[in-house]
Amino acid sequence: MRQALVAAFAAATALSAPGTAAAADNTPPARPLVKDLLTGSKACAAGEEARPYVRFAPQLSAVLYDPDGTQVSGEFEVWWTDAEGAEQRRTYTTSAKRSGSTFTVQLPADIASATVVSWRVRANDGTAASPWSSEGDGGSACEFVYDTVAPQKAVVSSADYPDNGEWTDGVGVYGGFTLDSPSDDVVMYQYHFLGGTLQTVQPEEPGGAVTLRYLPLRSSVDRITVQAFDRAGNGSPSTDYTFKVQSGRAPVAHWKLGDAAGATSAAAESGTDARAGSGVTFGGTAPAGTGLTTTAHLDGGDQAFLTPDSPAVDTGGTFAIGAWVRPERTDRDMAVAGQGSGTGALLGLRSGGEGPAWSFTVAGQEVSGGAPESGEWAYVLGLYDAETGLAQLYVNGYEAGTKTAAAPAQTTDAFRIGQGAGVSAWQGEIGGVRAYDRVVVPAEATELALRKPQLLGHWSLETASDGVSPEQSGGVPLKLGAGAVIHRGPDNSCLPEIDPDCPDVPYALVGDGHLQLDGDTAYAATDAALLDTSDSFTIGVVVRLTDSEPAGPMTVLSQAGEHTDAFKVRYEPSAHAWQLVVPEKDEAGAAETVVSQISVADGGEGQGHRLAVVYDDATDRIKLYLDGWTNADATATLPNGWHSSGPLQVGRAHVGDGWGEYLHGDVDEVHAFSGVLSDSSIRQLGGGAEPCLC
């Protein structure tokens, strides 16, 4: 048997590896049958770079096997050198368990801290013991350091955004924040900015400093919270560093292009006035709701340009260029604005093989997206971020295309509006041109592209005189057709619940009165078209159906074209739903897009429902809202909204060659706007007051 023991031991030695031991039996088990040595949850390791650091006294474990399948026990040995230089050694023996079990020892909290602790293990079957896991060719003891001392608080500093109580420039400008610690064993910092996610960064060497780059996205009092961690996972107390970020600085160049007709240059809001070529005419149409009153029209020829005759941005750094534009054509590549040629930047329109798109080209690398349409306004903005090396494009406040890596160089070429290298000059309107020397953050891009809704009319339907119900601000009234009447709610001076002799008059839907329609001939309408249905619009109404089971479709709102309605909002009893119906073109029998919201007919009870339609020409989306909410089933794509010339109709729609779908019910609080109301503003409609146009 002794010869077998020696042979098995020799075989085990030849097959050994660090952290692997052998069990023992009457014929001792081979070394590979002991494995999976762990210090806590970390694999057995040794050496300065590999040994684990732990913040709690660890549990040591190993899996022991016996070839004969008999029970084995584990013997763990732990040692270290104390502060006086003397070796301390402890041995722990486990109870016997079946072969293949995991054997563990929980070390006590009084083991040495802040020093290297070594350990090893061997198996014993009651007759013979295997070699120690540290013995044999390539074997080594497992090591760890027990560290219970937390690092000192991290130190945060920033020259760009100092913690001095002063407001500092600003949104869209990167700043450096240095994280450091007086402790020399810090290997990680965890940090988060106010409202941000927790992030982790590691110094190049223990105790080293790390510098972060941070881009403020809003003007506010901001804060970074930092915690330092050592290799054992001990965390320092948190450090809070507070700084104040002011609003993003104004563009370095800004031309509204709202100069008087006949002008030969464009006055600069910031930067230098821009000389205009002879192909530029001032006094053009401006996009509604933008603050622009007029724009410049460029004829697309070789004199269709404006320039300050000097650079406006440093194309070797971070910059952005944006403008309101309305192309007259989309069948050729055209320049909006730019600076430099091959190594510079150009914002423009590409005709493209897959259809036209807006584009931003930086040093030959192009980002493209969106869908330009002739005669349609868009706000386009190109941004190059030198910190990330990426160019990106915004169209109508939304990011378009895919960010693209680019490496522009500084150019001394003059900034030019309407012209660029390798493309045709702009043909159409341009206004509100801005150039920035910083990042334009997403919220700013959205704000620049905002077209503030404009109230076109609010009819509270409280009164009528000579068949006319006035608009709240004295605008276009609604004329009442035959059978349409204004119902007035009860006189508060005579209420039946107080005086039985008073008439029992139903309350109005909203306020003191509403419009009552008989479902036969009754309707109300403006004299002329109210909404420009080819552009963004919003319209809202409060409606209550008289019948609980209507006999057929009934329309509450529509606006007529020459042959059909540009849109209509109707109740479809067969679907138990309010529907928005939008024909694709102004033709009888044209294909229709229909979206809906499920709703039970009122049967003359309750306060009715608040309906709204929102068409966003910038995103080519149209939505139907019911009681302030919409969903995917109530949303459709509408790429080509068409202009309708007919008046706004309340209570009827086009049917064949005449009118039909007359509403039997009550109508109140009709609101109409140019532009897109926000979701929060939609929820304010129908209450009697004006919603926030924000």
Side-chain angles (χ1 to χ4, degrees):
M1 185 178 75
R2 179 61 57 188
Q3 290 85 349
L5 175 62
V6 170
F9 179 78
T13 300
L15 296 171
S16 67
T20 304
D25 202 335
N26 293 334
T27 55
R31 181 185 289 268
L33 298 179
V34 175
K35 48 189 176 181
D36 297 336
L37 278 67
L38 296 175
T39 302
S41 61
K42 300 176 181 179
C44 173
E48 179 65 31
E49 298 298 325
R51 72 173 71 99
Y53 283 68
V54 296
R55 55 189 297 216
F56 301 108
Q59 176 180 272
L60 312 180
S61 66
V63 179
L64 308 180
Y65 295 87
D66 183 86
D68 296 336
T70 59
Q71 289 192 330
V72 292
S73 61
E75 184 179 356
F76 291 79
E77 189 173 56
V78 182
W79 69 95
W80 65 87
T81 301
D82 65 19
E84 285 72 36
E87 182 181 85
Q88 302 294 321
R89 189 175 292 266
R90 296 180 183 179
T91 301
Y92 304 90
T93 301
T94 72
S95 57
K97 293 192 290 185
R98 71 174 181 270
S99 173
S101 298
T102 298
F103 293 76
T104 62
V105 167
Q106 176 61 53
L107 296 183
D110 65 351
I111 61 171
S113 63
T115 190
V116 177
V117 178
S118 303
W119 68 277
R120 59 186 184 175
V121 64
R122 63 182 177 182
N124 192 314
D125 68 352
T127 302
S130 72
W132 289 104
S133 57
S134 60
E135 296 176 345
D137 184 21
S140 63
C142 305
E143 295 178 350
F144 67 89
V145 175
Y146 177 40
D147 183 357
T148 61
V149 179
Q152 297 183 58
K153 290 179 66 172
V155 177
V156 183
S157 60
S158 174
D160 301 310
Y161 292 99
D163 184 3
N164 60 5
E166 300 293 329
W167 290 91
T168 307
D169 184 27
V171 170
V173 178
Y174 282 93
F177 292 79
T178 299
L179 317 183
D180 204 350
S181 173
S183 301
D184 60 6
D185 60 346
V186 169
V187 296
M188 180 181 73
Y189 297 97
Q190 284 188 344
Y191 69 94
H192 67 87
F193 288 90
L194 192 63
T197 57
L198 186 66
Q199 300 191 58
T200 298
V201 65
Q202 296 177 331
E204 292 185 359
E205 57 184 23
V210 175
T211 297
L212 313 171
R213 299 292 288 171
Y214 175 65
L215 179 67
L217 300 179
R218 64 185 183 277
S219 176
S220 66
V221 177
D222 208 339
R223 182 175 65 245
I224 180 174
T225 299
V226 182
Q227 195 174 10
F229 290 86
D230 62 20
R231 285 169 289 191
N234 296 301
S236 72
S238 295
T239 297
D240 287 336
Y241 180 94
T242 302
F243 55 101
K244 294 182 176 180
V245 181
Q246 66 186 20
S247 299
R249 59 177 176 256
V252 291
H254 179 195
W255 301 274
K256 288 185 175 180
L257 303 185
D259 303 84
T264 58
S265 65
E269 302 296 307
S270 58
T272 305
D273 290 355
R275 174 174 56 89
S278 59
V280 177
T281 303
F282 293 104
T285 303
T290 62
L292 297 175
T293 54
T294 60
T295 59
H297 177 268
L298 280 66
D299 65 11
D302 59 6
Q303 288 295 305
F305 69 87
L306 298 101
T307 179
D309 292 314
S310 61
V313 295
D314 176 5
T315 53
T318 295
F319 63 92
I321 303 168
W324 280 103
V325 290
R326 184 169 70 166
E328 289 182 352
R329 58 191 300 179
T330 60
D331 60 348
R332 68 177 190 180
D333 297 349
M334 295 192 296
V336 172
Q339 183 175 304
S341 52
T343 60
L346 178 64
L347 183 66
L349 183 154
R350 295 288 187 189
S351 55
E354 298 181 0
W358 299 109
S359 68
F360 182 50
T361 304
V362 178
Q365 304 301 308
E366 183 182 74
V367 187
S368 62
E373 295 181 31
S374 298
E376 182 176 293
W377 283 105
Y379 187 81
V380 290
L381 183 140
L383 165 66
Y384 177 71
D385 185 340
E387 294 270 346
T388 63
L390 298 175
Q392 65 187 104
L393 174 68
Y394 288 91
V395 177
N396 293 318
Y398 298 91
E399 188 172 351
T402 302
K403 293 178 182 177
T404 301
Q410 187 179 48
T411 174
T412 58
D413 292 343
F415 187 85
R416 297 183 77 83
I417 300 169
Q419 279 189 348
V423 298
S424 299
W426 184 258
Q427 184 174 338
E429 281 77 33
I430 298 182
V433 180
R434 290 175 168 89
Y436 295 84
D437 63 350
R438 62 174 178 86
V439 172
V440 174
V441 302
E444 291 177 313
T446 300
E447 182 69 21
L448 286 167
L450 178 65
R451 297 180 66 179
K452 186 177 179 180
Q454 306 293 308
L455 179 65
L456 300 177
H458 174 198
W459 298 269
S460 61
L461 300 169
E462 305 270 329
T463 62
S465 177
D466 296 327
V468 174
S469 186
E471 195 275 329
Q472 289 283 81
S473 302
V476 177
L478 280 173
K479 291 187 176 181
L480 277 54
V485 297
I486 297 296
H487 165 78
R488 295 286 296 175
D491 182 351
N492 289 333
S493 65
C494 186
L495 299 173
E497 55 265 34
I498 298 175
D499 183 352
D501 294 331
C502 292
D504 188 6
V505 179
Y507 284 91
L509 285 178
V510 181
D512 295 330
H514 63 235
L515 177 65
Q516 233 173 24
L517 302 174
D518 62 12
D520 186 13
T521 60
Y523 71 96
T526 58
D527 272 339
L530 181 74
L531 299 168
D532 180 359
T533 51
S534 67
D535 204 349
S536 299
F537 69 86
T538 301
I539 189 165
V541 67
V542 178
V543 58
R544 178 175 62 196
L545 300 177
T546 300
D547 305 313
S548 57
E549 295 183 6
M554 295 188 295
T555 293
V556 62
L557 293 173
S558 68
Q559 183 162 302
E562 185 177 351
H563 303 288
T564 187
D565 297 312
F567 74 92
K568 63 181 175 182
V569 180
R570 72 182 182 190
Y571 188 77
E572 175 52 72
S574 64
H576 302 287
W578 283 102
Q579 294 181 336
L580 169 62
V581 182
V582 184
E584 292 183 1
K585 57 185 68 175
D586 190 7
E587 293 180 1
E592 296 175 334
T593 296
V594 181
V595 298
S596 61
Q597 292 256 37
I598 300 297
S599 177
V600 176
D602 305 291
E605 301 294 330
Q607 294 302 303
H609 293 286
R610 292 175 294 119
L611 300 173
V613 175
V614 176
Y615 173 49
D616 187 345
D617 188 37
T619 60
D620 292 335
R621 307 290 281 178
I622 192 164
K623 301 178 181 180
L624 173 65
Y625 288 76
L626 174 67
D627 295 327
W629 302 96
T630 189
N631 54 50
D633 291 335
T635 302
T637 299
L638 185 62
N640 296 303
W642 50 273
H643 180 75
S644 57
S645 56
L648 176 69
Q649 303 284 333
V650 179
R652 68 178 184 176
H654 264 118
V655 175
D657 294 331
W659 296 100
E661 296 187 359
Y662 284 92
L663 183 85
H664 188 201
D666 305 319
V667 178
D668 210 346
E669 289 298 308
V670 179
H671 280 89
F673 305 86
S674 64
V676 176
L677 256 65
S678 66
D679 285 351
S680 60
S681 296
I682 290 291
R683 288 190 280 275
Q684 297 172 21
L685 290 175
E690 303 298 349
C692 176
L693 300 183
C694 50

